Amino acid sequence: MRSTNTRMRIRFTMALAVLMAGCPSETVAPPPAPPVNWQSLDAGATPSSASTGPTENERAAAQAYVRTLAAPAFAGLAAQLDDDSRFTFPGAGDSRGREAIVRAHERLLGAFDQRRMRARRVWRTSSEQTVEWELTGVQARDWMGVKASQKSVSVRGMALLWTKDDGTITDLHLYFDLAAVKAQLGAGPATPGNVAGQAAVTTIDDDSSSPPLVFDQESSPTERINVALAKASLDALEANDVVAYLGAMAGDVEIDTLEHAQPSRGKGAAAAYFKAMRKAIGQLDTTVTDAWGVGRFVILEYTIAGEQLGPLGSIPAQRDKTVVLHIADIVEVAADKIGHIWRYDNPTEIAVTPPS
C-alpha cells in the first residue's frame, strides 16, 4: 500500500511540475526576439522624397511676376498674390492684400506706358526668390510730382518674393531708385555719373525672352561662411572699424549702385563710402533683416539707421532727424573676399521719414 502511495505521490509531483512549467514565472526566460525588418528601418532613416528646394510652381514665380509688371494694368499680378500678401517699398507704407498691392504698383510704375520688362538674374531658395529686373517705358501720365513728359526711361530694380508651394506670393519687397528715374525725366538733381540727368535708355525688344541667369541655393557650408562674411562687413560699418570693413573686401572690389552709371572700384572707393556714411549718419546702426547664401552669392536685406548729420547723396542734411535706409545687396564672394556688390535702395525715402 505504501508502495502504491509512493507511486501516486511521484506521479502527482511530476504532473504539478509540468503544470507549473506552462505558467508565467519570474524565472522563466523571455521569448525570443521577433525577426527584424531591416528594410523598414532603412526606409525610416531615409530623408523624405519631397524636394527641399522650390517647387516647380515656385520656380516660375519670379519670371511670372516680372511679366506682370509689363502687362497693361498689371494684369495677372493679383492672381499671383496670396489673400493676405504683404508689399513693401522703401519710403512707402506697407500694403496688404491683392487690391492694395496692385494699387501700389500702379502708383510706382503705372504712369509708364509701353513697358518692356526683362529678368536679368534670379536667386532661388526653398521659400524665397530674388530677381533683378530692367524696365523701359514712356512717361505717359503724371508721376511722383513730375508732369507727363512722354520721355523714355530705364529702370533697374530688384524684387524679393516669398512664395508658397503653389507659387503664390506671400511677401514682396520691391527696390528701385525714384531719384534716378526722375533725373532721366529732367526733374530733380542729376544722379552722380549722369550729370546731364539723361541716362542712356536700354532697349528691351518684344522678343527679349532669353531666360535670366538662375542660381539655386546649395545649402553648403561655404554659403554659410559667405553670409557670415557679408554680415561682418556691416558689423564693421556699425562699429566704425574701417580696417575690418576693408579686410572683408577684395582689392579690386566693385560696387554697383543705382545712383551711379558706372561701378566704383577698389578698396579706395569702398573706404570712401565707409567714411561718407559714418560722416553723414551719427550713432549709425545696421540691422540685417534677411540673409541667404546662394552659391557664391549672398542676398542681404538690411537697414542703416541713425541721426542724419550731413548730406546723403542728393539729400541735404536734416539735423535732429532720425533716418532709416532700407537696402538690399547682392554680394558676390570670391576667394573668401567680397568681390562685387550690387546695391538696391531708394535714398529719397529718408526725405519722407517722419521726424523723431
Side-chain angles (χ1 to χ4, degrees):
M1 185 73 177
R2 179 180 297 174
S3 174
T4 300
N5 291 339
T6 299
R7 287 196 299 270
M8 290 179 66
R9 285 196 297 271
I10 292 173
R11 288 174 181 170
F12 176 78
T13 301
M14 292 178 64
L16 181 63
V18 171
L19 178 63
M20 293 184 66
C23 296
S25 171
E26 292 182 357
T27 61
V28 177
V36 177
N37 184 349
W38 296 108
Q39 281 187 323
S40 67
L41 290 181
D42 287 342
T46 302
S48 169
S49 60
S51 172
T52 57
T55 65
E56 287 303 314
N57 287 333
E58 287 180 300
R59 290 174 185 274
Q63 287 177 262
Y65 169 70
V66 170
R67 286 194 297 269
T68 66
L69 297 186
F74 304 97
L77 175 57
Q80 268 201 283
L81 302 171
D82 185 65
D83 289 340
D84 194 33
S85 50
R86 172 176 172 266
F87 172 80
T88 65
F89 179 82
D94 291 3
S95 301
R96 285 192 176 274
R98 293 188 176 101
E99 292 184 3
I101 293 174
V102 172
R103 287 196 301 270
H105 281 74
E106 290 172 345
R107 287 192 299 270
L108 291 168
L109 297 169
F112 301 99
D113 284 354
Q114 304 175 42
R115 292 192 300 272
R116 299 286 182 268
M117 294 295 304
R118 174 170 57 201
R120 298 176 63 238
R121 294 186 293 180
V122 177
W123 293 263
R124 297 190 299 216
T125 73
S126 59
S127 61
E128 189 277 341
Q129 296 187 54
T130 299
V131 55
E132 272 186 327
W133 50 265
E134 291 178 329
L135 173 149
T136 62
V138 175
Q139 189 202 4
R141 286 167 291 282
D142 294 355
W143 175 79
M144 302 291 172
V146 182
K147 293 295 184 181
S149 65
Q150 304 303 318
K151 291 181 179 179
S152 297
V153 296
S154 263
V155 185
R156 286 192 300 132
M158 184 170 81
L160 289 82
L161 303 90
W162 283 259
T163 54
K164 297 166 67 173
D165 286 351
D166 62 3
T168 54
I169 297 170
T170 60
D171 204 353
L172 170 56
H173 300 182
L174 189 66
Y175 289 88
F176 68 91
D177 187 347
L178 295 179
V181 179
K182 286 185 176 182
Q184 296 176 54
L185 299 173
T191 57
N194 174 30
V195 177
Q198 293 294 325
V201 176
T202 303
T203 300
I204 300 178
D205 299 327
D206 289 333
D207 60 353
S208 60
S209 57
S210 56
L213 294 174
V214 177
F215 306 92
D216 285 305
Q217 189 174 56
E218 301 165 0
S219 300
S220 68
T222 299
E223 289 174 335
R224 291 189 287 274
I225 292 171
N226 291 346
V227 169
L229 175 67
K231 286 183 173 181
S233 70
L234 292 181
D235 290 340
L237 177 61
E238 178 179 314
N240 200 15
D241 189 344
V242 68
V243 174
Y245 182 80
L246 296 178
M249 308 289 171
D252 58 350
V253 61
E254 295 188 13
I255 303 175
D256 276 277
T257 64
L258 299 175
E259 297 90 348
H260 293 78
Q262 298 296 325
S264 61
R265 293 181 173 87
K267 286 193 175 184
Y273 169 79
F274 181 98
K275 293 175 181 178
M277 293 300 292
R278 294 297 316 185
K279 183 178 180 180
I281 300 179
Q283 302 180 37
L284 186 149
D285 175 78
T286 62
T287 302
V288 175
T289 53
D290 295 289
W292 305 273
V294 182
R296 66 181 185 274
F297 297 95
V298 176
I299 310 300
L300 200 62
E301 193 176 26
Y302 59 100
T303 60
I304 295 179
E307 182 185 356
Q308 188 182 3
L309 304 177
L312 278 166
S314 61
I315 308 300
Q318 302 176 61
R319 289 190 177 275
D320 300 323
K321 180 174 182 179
T322 299
V323 296
V324 180
L325 286 168
H326 294 81
I327 304 170
D329 284 353
I330 299 166
V331 180
E332 185 175 19
V333 179
D336 300 325
K337 298 289 183 181
I338 295 173
H340 205 140
I341 300 173
W342 292 266
R343 180 158 293 143
Y344 290 88
D345 59 359
N346 176 39
T348 57
E349 71 167 308
I350 64 177
V352 296
T353 304
S356 58

